Amino acid sequence: MSFPVSSLRRMVAASFLLASCGAFAFSLSDLSNQDATAGLKAALEKGASSAVASLGRQNGFLNNDKVKIHLPGALEQAMPILRMTGMGGQVDGLVADMNHAAEAAVPLAKPLLVNAVKSMSVTDAKNILAGGDTSVTDFFRQKTSAELAVKFLPIVRQITDKNGLSARYNAVMGQASKTGLVSSEQSTVEGYVTQRALDGLFLMIGEEEKAIRQDPVGSGSAIIGKVFGAMR
């Protein structure tokens, strides 16, 4: 039985189309558990290392507008009055100290982040990979936030206590927190800075995660490219 040339061409084209569809059908479900877990762990470690390195260096917070720690809203609004009373320099010093305290605390995060990666199960890996753009970051936040806060607080307090305004901040904000004008986490300078340091850390991990998801091959890791590329 013979076919017209035009029919043969259509059949060949259809076969190429089906083959192409099969090639691009590679998805998360086709990955082995080993590959899925390895790819995710590589991405976790890359994101964590990049974030810690970026924020834990000199002026890592102060020179990064995305994470720079400013005074809480109530005090920030009072800045013009404070400057008029000659306290502008002290306030600027407190802001600098807060940011330097955060940068000093952040390197403590790396061991805990690495431990979180080691504790991750295969089910965790699959769920994270199939999640949203910040599911890796959300995993880190859930697993490490509480312990990181405990680790960060003494480092932050040691640095901020050297500034004469810290005690005054704590007195004023402590009273304000009783009236509900500020949250409890803002009631002490060390509590406020610790929380903002954590927020900054997870924000930067999230930025790295988004970059990996958008360009897995550009991560420079074959396994990250394979696993995250399967989800595109």
Side-chain angles (χ1 to χ4, degrees), residues 6-84:
S6 59
S7 297
L8 285 171
R9 285 176 178 167
R10 282 197 295 271
M11 290 172 65
V12 171
S15 356
F16 274 117
L17 180 60
L18 288 171
S20 298
C21 289
F24 286 105
F26 182 73
S27 65
L28 187 61
S29 61
D30 296 313
L31 291 171
S32 69
N33 288 339
Q34 183 177 3
D35 278 352
T37 305
L40 180 54
K41 285 185 175 181
L44 285 166
E45 290 173 4
K46 187 176 190 303
S49 296
S50 295
V52 170
S54 172
L55 297 177
R57 62 188 177 188
Q58 185 174 8
N59 296 325
F61 278 83
L62 202 59
N63 290 346
N64 185 338
D65 289 338
K66 291 181 180 180
V67 297
K68 181 178 178 180
I69 301 174
H70 298 275
L71 290 172
L75 289 183
E76 190 71 24
Q77 292 170 8
M79 278 292 289
I81 297 173
L82 293 172
R83 292 193 184 283
M84 287 175 61

Side-chain angles (χ1 to χ4, degrees), residues 190-221:
E190 61 269 22
Y192 172 66
V193 173
T194 294
Q195 186 57 54
R196 290 300 306 277
L198 289 172
D199 290 343
L201 174 63
F202 293 126
L203 175 70
M204 296 309 293
I205 291 175
E207 294 282 305
E208 183 68 23
E209 178 183 357
K210 288 177 185 176
I212 288 173
R213 288 181 182 274
Q214 289 168 7
D215 182 17
V217 176
S219 70
S221 165

Side-chain angles (χ1 to χ4, degrees), residues 72-155:
L75 289 183
E76 190 71 24
Q77 292 170 8
M79 278 292 289
I81 297 173
L82 293 172
R83 292 193 184 283
M84 287 175 61
T85 58
M87 295 180 62
Q90 286 180 278
V91 173
D92 290 340
L94 178 58
V95 170
D97 285 346
M98 290 194 303
N99 283 275
H100 291 318
E103 82 186 34
V106 157
L108 297 176
K110 192 166 183 181
L112 292 179
L113 296 173
V114 170
N115 286 339
V117 174
K118 290 179 179 177
S119 72
M120 184 181 62
S121 68
V122 171
T123 301
D124 285 335
K126 291 265 187 175
N127 289 339
I128 293 168
L129 285 167
D133 282 348
T134 59
S135 56
V136 166
T137 312
D138 296 338
F139 170 80
F140 268 140
R141 188 185 291 273
Q142 179 186 2
K143 291 285 187 179
T144 65
S145 279
E147 195 171 356
L148 282 175
V150 173
K151 296 267 186 193
F152 281 15
L153 200 62
I155 300 296

